[in-house]
Amino acid sequence: MKKFNIRKVLDGLTAVSSPSPSPQLGAKENELIPETLQSEHFQLCKTVRHGFPYQPSSMAFDPVQKILAIGTQNGALRLFGRPGVECYCQHESGAAVIQLQFLINEGALVSALADDSIHLWNLRQKRPAVLHSLKFNKERITFCHLPFQSKWLYIGSERGNIHIVNVESFTLSGYTIMWNKAIELSSKAHPGPVVHISDNPMDEGKLIIGFESGIVVLWDLKSKRADYRYTYDEAIHSVAWHHEGKQFICSHSDGTLTIWNIKSPAKPAQTITPHGKQPKDGKKPEPCKPILKVEYKTTRAGDPFMIFSGGLSYDTVGRRPCLTVMHGKSTAVLEMDYPIVDFLTLCETPYPNDFQEPYAVVVLLEKDLVVIDLAQNGYPIFENPYPMMIHESPVTCCEYLADCPVDLIPALYSVGSRQKRQGYSKKEWPISGGNWGLGTQSYPEIIITGHADGSVKFWDASAIMLQVLYKLKTAKVFEKARCKEEKPNTEIVDEDPFAIQLMSWCPESRMLCVAGVSAHVIIYRFSKQEITTEVVQLLEVRLQYELNDLESPEGGGDQTPAPLTPSTSPSPQTAAPQTHTSTSSNSSDGIRDNIPCLKVRSSPLKQSPGYQVELVVQLVWVSGEPPQQISSLAINSSYGLVVFGNSNGLAVVDYLQKTVLLNLGTVELYGSNDPYQRQLRSPRKSRQPSGGLCDINEGSATSEDRCKSPTSDNRDNSFSRSRSSSVTSIDKEAREAVTSFYFCETYNRKADGGLTPSLWVGTSLGTVLAISLNMPPAGEQRLLQPVIVSPCGTLVRLKGSILRMAFLDSTGSLFPSAFEPWYEPNAPANGEERDKVRKRRPVSVSPSTSQELNENQYAVLCSEKQAKVISLPSQTCVFKHNITETSFVLRADVVQINTGICVACFCANGHIMTLSLPGLRPLLDVNYLPLTDMRIARTFCFTNLGQALYLTSPTEIQRITYSQEVCENLQEMLGELFTPVETPEAPNRGFFKGLFGGGAQSLDREELFGESGAGKAPRSLAQHIPGPGGLEGMKGAASGIVGDLARARIALDERGQKLSEVEERTAAMMASADTFSKHAHEMMLKCKDKKWYQF
């Protein structure tokens, strides 16, 4: 445990840039402050990724292991088993995954990429790894096929050729099917790329090859020639076999399906245009959209299923993408919310030569995964248990809380379970492979996501899983415009006016406060009972920038702030809540004034159990100037206060009495000690860019940026800030925004003898100011007497915008904010019970420690550039650390990890850092994630116990840890994808089929494709690359039919000795057997003439 001497640390540090004199430490302040955290406690690694795979491109399913794999356009691989078992892998090249093939029940997967490489993944380890890669140099891969229980992978190319790869060694066979040999004289033109390969279910020696131009070839692998060629004048998209191997079906670009008998190549046995209009005169039906994929699945007891995507008529403009299920005479058209990427039919058997018995269809959409139950009437969908709808509406902000109160998750689950939709299939989710991890960490974790449509979702994130608990729709509070003509012209964003920008949550009291992009704040209280709110309580606030025209409920335009009391704000006991009509006005010249951006609903609001609206606060237009978006927000349940700020100033609201306590411009907070020379600005000169989501580029943003939604993709993402390096000068046109708040019981002045309730305020110019809060007694008096708020002036300054504030006690432990425990707000009005829970939680400080150190607290302040630890009440800087010179901090949090606390920072240059407290020693600095877009900056957050997260794509949350302990336990916590399962028995051929030669025909592929039979492939065709999976990973993967030979090859060196020893033993045994044989023969000759009784 390392100890610090405060006096030594002060050497070389400059004085704080504040009006107070240079800090001088007293004699007793050189006491030692212990720090428990060391650099070995920290390690950075990814833990799990949740959400829908971003930009999916391919899919595969293992019917025995019951594992689903999804590949994406950026080379990612997501594997899903039972709910809670999922895994993320990434191909190094980042090329799109064009096809996936499981080695069924082998714990391995083959991926084909758009850069013409194929990879073998080992799924028998918790973090899958690549065992082999093969990079084609002269051919573009278009299709792959791996027959069940085969080690030979067929690869079709853009040139129309087919190559064969041994998946054990990942070497090419010398056996190649050239396109010109396949089609011979059947076509004068090149047949196009290979779009399909599969072997006849009943004869492994017959391979069907589909070319894009419309030619299908049945190839005899043994004789190396084509048996039949089938020609159709429309391009082919896919081919599927009947399980008996006598028929196959093709889907075409004109919306037709052709069914062929394999021995009748002249014309199709049947041609169907499922969605085409049939003319009466017998002509061809009108062409339809292409059928991109078809599957043909048989059942033992009924009609076969024909399932396909696409094929709709061209006149169905605006119709959503569809999957069509044809079963007997019925045709069901299932509309999807997004375009279909791929689909797979799940069947009872993995054997292609048996009745398939389909029971479900997995449909991969561009932004969703849907599983349809084929066994129930109406084809209901299964309820998706994976957290795949994070992006149901784009995520605009995140909060993460580890080790939250234990009763919180059950409470949220109980109210959220009532929100579930009905009508799902009653069967269990069919993707059920793998096993859960056995992690020891069981503390509750909650993630909250704010969305562009105004919704807020609460997620249970415990034990590296993710499950939605509850969804809150904040837009219900507002009136909705019925049509575009009615859209109010007071909105300050073009789209998503309800988007959530900031969230502040008190988990102990369950109070929630959200700030929206339309300069609105909504305060919610948690209740388990349903209520109907007749009138939504509303406060409207004017926050403006000019010094000479400031308005507040107190009429305070004075430069020297004094204790203020609300005089004009309505109290719930005496006045009705404000509405738009009471304050809104337009001047004669049409200038908007006192008008909020959104209209709060006037009709009664039915509020279900869960979060219920307590109060709405809206910023209003001021003399034609729109309100600036809110840049900071905080709530404290013990004080009953909410505070929010923007580039104009801040407002403190008492949500118990429904009054505005303080409404000040940023300049007024300084009083007469304002260090900056500011030029007054007319509100109509130019519109300043809004803060918050859209304001990373404060200096370069235009008025157009202000109007964009937080989800807009056209925003400038350069992250360059035009800030002045000096804290004593200021751009005359720049506004000083309020960027951070912290409620606490602390010392606001040097002369303070005790702790007082306070609000600390941080600004974009690095200033930290204090506001004193004089609270009435708890209980009934709290609702009757006013809260007195009085600004106390500047405390300290840092370089860059203030991001985070926290407090430590005299021993260096985190000093928590006061809170009120949760109570049921809609319980019967029991006075005694209410008073009992409405008492503020006391914050205790040890008197002996206070006297001994003569210091009661330390304030931890972190800005974009540096961190400081200030001793209170003396306000002297005891520790300072410059975090970054060339970049700036995007997110900083004071977090608890192991037995200590630290400051965790994420910089715009991608570095993740931690600093010890109170000494600010660098403990971790990893160049983790170069910042590429606004989404990461907006959603990155740290929490306790070494956890952090960010939105890595619009649809996925990436969780990481910076704790060495969590990294060490991660292997145990992760689920297992592969579980030992016996492969089902092959279908019985039956007596007559065996007698007369029917049934499936096997093929010795080793003899045909091996080096002895086919020779070696040219080296220039493809390059073999050993994977980073490692010997242990290979050993894990090497088992089963494919793995037996692979394991022998991997272990060749270590088995060499053993084999020679076995050979010697075998020779000795043979000699011994020979001797025994001779002795036995002699014995037989000696005894053959003896009678039984002579022995």
Side-chain angles (χ1 to χ4, degrees):
M1 187 187 300
K2 193 162 183 177
K3 299 193 174 182
F4 277 91
N5 189 301
I6 297 176
R7 187 179 291 283
K8 287 181 182 177
V9 175
L10 280 170
D11 291 342
L13 292 186
T14 55
V16 197
S17 52
S18 68
S20 59
S22 299
Q24 299 294 323
L25 293 182
K28 294 208 172 183
E29 289 187 81
N30 62 349
E31 298 292 332
L32 298 177
I33 298 174
E35 287 188 3
T36 57
L37 291 180
Q38 303 298 327
S39 56
E40 55 264 24
H41 291 129
F42 295 89
Q43 182 184 341
L44 194 69
C45 70
K46 293 180 180 179
T47 51
V48 286
R49 182 173 290 204
H50 301 295
F52 181 76
Y54 182 56
Q55 294 180 330
S57 55
S58 56
M59 178 172 60
F61 183 70
D62 186 327
V64 180
Q65 286 290 319
K66 298 196 182 300
I67 296 286
L68 181 75
I70 296 176
T72 73
Q73 291 179 26
N74 58 8
L77 199 58
R78 295 284 298 279
L79 296 134
F80 298 91
R82 66 179 59 193
V85 177
E86 53 182 280
C87 181
Y88 161 74
C89 318
Q90 177 69 46
H91 292 90
E92 281 185 18
S93 67
V97 181
I98 56 173
Q99 202 172 347
L100 294 169
Q101 290 270 302
F102 273 101
L103 279 67
I104 293 173
N105 206 26
E106 294 289 341
L109 175 73
V110 173
S111 58
L113 271 58
D115 64 355
D116 309 308
S117 62
I118 57 172
H119 307 266
L120 178 66
W121 290 85
N122 172 22
L123 308 183
R124 291 182 177 235
Q125 54 199 61
K126 289 193 172 183
R127 285 191 178 275
V130 173
L131 297 177
H132 297 283
S133 298
L134 196 65
K135 178 80 167 66
F136 282 78
N137 298 322
K138 297 180 177 179
E139 295 267 31
R140 304 298 311 272
I141 298 172
T142 56
F143 194 86
C144 298
H145 171 63
L146 181 67
F148 179 43
Q149 294 183 328
S150 166
K151 68 175 184 180
W152 298 97
L153 173 71
Y154 301 108
I155 294 181
S157 74
E158 195 173 54
R159 290 184 181 178
N161 304 324
I162 292 176
H163 303 280
I164 299 165
V165 174
N166 183 328
V167 293
E168 288 176 2
S169 60
F170 249 52
T171 53
L172 272 171
S173 165
Y175 192 113
T176 306
I177 304 172
M178 305 302 287
W179 68 269
N180 51 350
K181 287 272 188 181
I183 67 163
E184 286 188 348
L185 301 175
S186 61
S187 171
K188 294 178 182 178
H190 189 279
V194 175
V195 295
H196 181 83
I197 310 168
S198 61
D199 48 351
N200 187 319
M202 287 295 182
D203 188 350
E204 295 172 351
K206 308 288 186 184
L207 197 68
I208 204 158
I209 307 163
F211 296 96
E212 189 181 66
S213 63
I215 298 173
V216 177
V217 174
L218 186 67
W219 182 263
D220 188 314
L221 289 165
K222 285 182 183 174
S223 65
K224 300 184 182 179
R225 63 181 182 84
D227 280 355
Y228 299 102
R229 297 180 182 88
Y230 315 85
T231 306
Y232 193 70
D233 54 5
E234 290 292 339
I236 289 176
H237 285 279
S238 71
V239 183
W241 279 103
H242 187 283
H243 85 274
E244 291 178 348
K246 295 175 182 177
Q247 281 188 330
F248 63 88
I249 184 169
C250 301
S251 71
H252 298 277
S253 57
D254 64 344
T256 57
L257 297 170
T258 54
I259 299 173
W260 301 79
N261 293 325
I262 59 168
K263 294 187 178 179
S264 304
K267 64 173 186 176
Q270 192 178 358
T271 303
I272 312 166
T273 310
H275 296 297
K277 293 177 181 175
Q278 300 290 339
K280 293 178 182 177
D281 53 6
K283 290 182 182 177
K284 273 190 175 182
E286 291 178 10
C288 295
K289 295 175 185 176
I291 295 178
L292 301 176
K293 184 176 180 180
V294 64
E295 292 203 343
Y296 194 29
K297 302 297 179 184
T298 53
T299 59
R300 208 175 294 275
D303 294 312
F305 282 87
M306 209 179 289
I307 303 163
F308 60 89
S309 60
L312 292 177
S313 173
Y314 279 105
D315 61 8
T316 53
V317 180
R319 190 165 182 179
R320 293 188 293 177
C322 292
L323 185 82
T324 305
V325 180
M326 297 174 71
H327 183 222
K329 293 181 179 179
S330 73
T331 300
V333 180
L334 310 175
E335 288 194 344
M336 303 293 159
D337 291 334
Y338 306 102
I340 297 171
V341 175
D342 196 4
F343 73 89
L344 292 169
T345 309
L346 308 189
C347 301
E348 297 288 356
T349 177
Y351 293 94
N353 58 356
D354 194 10
F355 285 98
Q356 301 297 288
E357 305 296 346
Y359 59 89
V361 183
V362 181
V363 189
L364 178 63
L365 307 175
E366 278 187 4
K367 293 183 180 179
D368 199 4
L369 182 75
V370 175
V371 183
I372 298 160
D373 186 353
L374 289 179
Q376 288 190 40
N377 290 335
Y379 304 131
I381 64 169
F382 289 86
E383 184 175 11
N384 192 332
Y386 306 134
M388 283 194 169
M389 293 313 288
I390 292 170
H391 63 288
E392 188 176 19
S393 172
V395 177
T396 52
C397 58
C398 282
E399 291 298 332
Y400 188 11
L401 185 73
D403 205 15
C404 58
V406 290
D407 60 341
L408 203 50
I409 289 175
L412 288 165
Y413 181 81
S414 67
V415 294
S417 58
R418 307 178 198 187
Q419 298 177 328
K420 288 192 175 179
R421 286 169 47 192
Q422 303 297 316
Y424 290 113
S425 169
K426 293 173 183 175
K427 292 185 178 177
E428 287 189 9
W429 181 250
I431 304 162
S432 55
N435 283 322
W436 290 307
L438 302 169
T440 54
Q441 293 171 326
S442 57
Y443 47 82
E445 299 173 72
I446 287 180
I447 294 171
I448 314 175
T449 53
H451 299 264
D453 64 352
S455 60
V456 176
K457 288 183 183 176
F458 293 79
W459 306 82
D460 177 4
S462 311
I464 70 169
M465 294 174 69
L466 194 69
Q467 180 184 9
V468 69
L469 291 170
Y470 171 71
K471 179 180 177 181
L472 169 66
K473 296 179 180 178
T474 65
K476 284 185 175 180
V477 175
F478 302 102
E479 299 279 4
K480 288 184 180 177
R482 292 180 187 174
C483 60
K484 288 188 177 180
E485 286 74 21
E486 288 184 34
K487 188 175 180 180
N489 57 2
T490 55
E491 292 186 5
I492 56 174
V493 288
D494 290 341
E495 53 186 18
D496 300 325
F498 310 115
I500 304 297
Q501 202 164 8
L502 296 167
M503 297 181 289
S504 179
W505 191 43
C506 175
E508 289 82 9
S509 67
R510 304 181 191 171
M511 291 297 298
L512 173 70
C513 186
V514 300
V517 77
S518 296
H520 63 276
V521 172
I522 312 175
I523 299 144
Y524 287 92
R525 198 183 283 278
F526 186 86
S527 172
K528 293 182 179 178
Q529 297 183 16
E530 183 178 297
I531 60 164
T532 299
T533 304
E534 294 298 327
V535 180
V536 175
Q537 301 276 330
L538 171 65
L539 288 176
E540 292 178 353
V541 178
R542 288 172 69 94
L543 263 183
Q544 59 191 120
Y545 183 64
E546 291 71 29
L547 291 178
N548 59 355
D549 191 28
L550 280 164
E551 291 183 19
S552 72
E554 299 76 37
D558 198 332
Q559 288 296 300
T560 309
L564 302 163
T565 56
S567 58
T568 61
S569 299
S571 164
Q573 287 86 7
T574 57
Q578 290 177 304
T579 62
H580 292 280
T581 51
S582 64
T583 57
S584 303
S585 65
N586 276 357
S587 62
S588 56
D589 59 354
I591 295 174
R592 288 185 283 271
D593 191 49
N594 275 355
I595 303 174
C597 303
L598 300 172
K599 187 177 180 184
V600 173
R601 65 184 291 162
S602 52
S603 56
L605 177 64
K606 184 180 177 182
Q607 304 203 66
S608 303
Y611 275 101
Q612 298 171 349
V613 181
E614 175 87 355
L615 179 66
V616 178
V617 184
Q618 288 185 289
L619 295 182
V620 296
W621 288 66
V622 179
S623 304
E625 178 79 357
Q628 295 294 299
Q629 289 180 353
I630 292 162
S631 57
S632 51
L633 177 72
I635 187 169
N636 185 279
S637 59
S638 175
Y639 306 150
L641 301 180
V642 162
V643 59
F644 58 90
N646 61 12
S647 57
N648 285 341
L650 64 84
V652 181
V653 173
D654 181 342
Y655 64 78
L656 297 176
Q657 294 191 28
K658 312 289 189 295
T659 57
V660 179
L661 300 175
L662 187 69
N663 177 1
L664 279 183
T666 318
V667 181
E668 281 196 307
L669 285 169
Y670 289 94
S672 57
N673 297 320
D674 188 358
Y676 303 117
Q677 300 299 314
R678 305 175 197 257
Q679 179 177 326
L680 298 188
R681 191 185 64 83
S682 166
R684 298 186 191 89
K685 265 189 188 174
S686 64
R687 289 185 178 180
Q688 294 294 320
S690 302
L693 297 183
C694 301
D695 200 19
I696 280 291
N697 290 327
E698 292 170 19
S700 59
T702 63
S703 58
E704 289 179 356
D705 291 274
R706 179 191 59 76
C707 297
K708 287 181 182 174
S709 152
T711 58
S712 171
D713 291 324
N714 300 321
R715 193 182 298 102
D716 179 12
N717 289 328
S718 62
F719 291 97
S720 57
R721 296 210 177 201
S722 57
R723 294 192 180 282
S724 168
S725 59
S726 166
V727 294
T728 56
S729 64
I730 181 173
D731 181 355
K732 289 181 178 180
E733 278 294 323
R735 296 183 180 188
E736 183 176 12
V738 177
T739 57
S740 181
F741 294 115
Y742 196 83
F743 284 102
C744 53
E745 300 206 359
T746 185
Y747 306 93
N748 291 327
R749 297 177 177 86
K750 293 181 182 179
D752 281 357
L755 301 173
T756 56
S758 310
L759 168 64
W760 281 35
V761 181
T763 75
S764 58
L765 294 179
T767 306
V768 177
L769 307 107
I771 296 174
S772 176
L773 307 172
N774 189 350
M775 305 301 300
E780 196 176 334
Q781 291 300 308
R782 173 63 185 87
L783 299 175
L784 299 175
Q785 295 184 25
V787 177
I788 310 297
V789 291
S790 51
C792 302
T794 307
L795 294 167
V796 67
R797 290 197 183 90
L798 284 75
K799 288 181 185 175
S801 177
I802 303 294
L803 298 177
R804 189 67 57 195
M805 297 180 277
F807 289 82
L808 311 179
D809 64 17
S810 55
T811 63
S813 301
L814 198 60
F815 198 84
S817 292
F819 61 83
E820 176 189 69
W822 178 77
Y823 66 92
E824 174 54 64
N826 299 320
N830 240 346
E832 293 176 17
E833 207 172 304
R834 282 283 178 96
D835 286 347
K836 222 181 268 181
V837 294
R838 274 198 173 278
K839 288 179 181 172
R840 196 161 71 243
R841 175 179 175 273
V843 179
S844 60
V845 177
S846 166
S848 59
T849 315
S850 307
Q851 291 162 11
E852 187 183 316
L853 278 179
N854 198 28
E855 293 287 346
N856 285 340
Q857 276 186 341
Y858 297 98
V860 181
L861 311 171
C862 187
S863 76
E864 292 176 325
K865 294 287 186 181
Q866 62 181 186
K868 286 185 180 181
V869 174
I870 308 297
S871 177
L872 297 174
S874 67
Q875 297 183 13
T876 52
C877 176
V878 289
F879 297 105
K880 182 173 89 167
H881 178 74
N882 290 324
I883 300 169
T884 176
E885 294 294 336
T886 56
S887 184
F888 57 93
V889 178
L890 285 164
R891 175 79 183 211
D893 288 287
V894 176
V895 292
Q896 193 137 9
I897 177 171
N898 297 347
T899 55
I901 52 172
C902 65
V903 180
C905 305
F906 172 55
C907 287
N909 61 8
H911 282 251
I912 289 178
M913 293 175 273
T914 60
L915 306 171
S916 71
L917 284 175
L920 297 180
R921 285 180 302 118
L923 298 172
L924 175 77
D925 187 351
V926 178
N927 187 2
Y928 169 71
L929 180 75
L931 192 63
T932 50
D933 68 44
M934 182 70 175
R935 180 184 60 253
I936 298 169
R938 197 169 56 223
T939 56
F940 200 106
C941 50
F942 297 96
T943 186
N944 294 330
L945 305 171
Q947 307 284 359
L949 67 79
Y950 60 93
L951 216 69
T952 185
S953 74
T955 64
E956 295 165 292
I957 285 176
Q958 178 68 58
R959 289 164 71 178
I960 61 174
T961 182
Y962 50 95
S963 160
Q964 171 68 31
E965 185 185 350
V966 176
C967 286
E968 287 174 355
N969 294 330
L970 185 60
Q971 197 68 12
E972 290 180 19
M973 296 167 70
L974 293 172
E976 291 185 24
L977 286 166
F978 180 81
T979 49
V981 179
E982 281 194 24
T983 303
E985 286 187 16
N988 192 353
R989 292 173 67 185
F991 174 74
F992 288 106
K993 282 189 177 179
L995 187 65
F996 298 112
Q1001 304 293 316
S1002 61
L1003 172 75
D1004 188 348
R1005 294 189 177 97
E1006 184 68 40
E1007 182 186 334
L1008 199 58
F1009 302 145
E1011 198 173 311
S1012 58
K1016 288 186 177 180
R1019 287 188 179 182
S1020 59
L1021 185 60
Q1023 176 190 359
H1024 177 259
I1025 306 161
L1031 190 63
E1032 291 306 311
M1034 291 186 189
K1035 285 178 180 174
S1039 66
I1041 291 166
V1042 172
D1044 286 337
L1045 290 172
R1047 190 184 340 186
R1049 187 173 286 106
I1050 294 159
L1052 195 58
D1053 293 335
E1054 56 188 69
R1055 281 190 179 186
Q1057 263 184 317
K1058 293 177 184 176
L1059 288 172
S1060 61
E1061 288 170 11
V1062 168
E1063 197 175 343
E1064 289 169 8
R1065 285 177 194 166
T1066 306
M1069 286 174 68
M1070 286 176 71
S1072 175
D1074 192 45
T1075 308
F1076 178 81
S1077 175
K1078 285 178 184 176
H1079 283 301
H1081 186 67
E1082 289 169 6
M1083 196 76 169
M1084 185 266 293
L1085 292 173
K1086 192 184 291 185
C1087 302
K1088 71 175 183 177
D1089 295 324
K1090 290 186 179 182
K1091 303 295 181 187
W1092 63 271
Y1093 52 83
Q1094 291 177 311
F1095 286 96

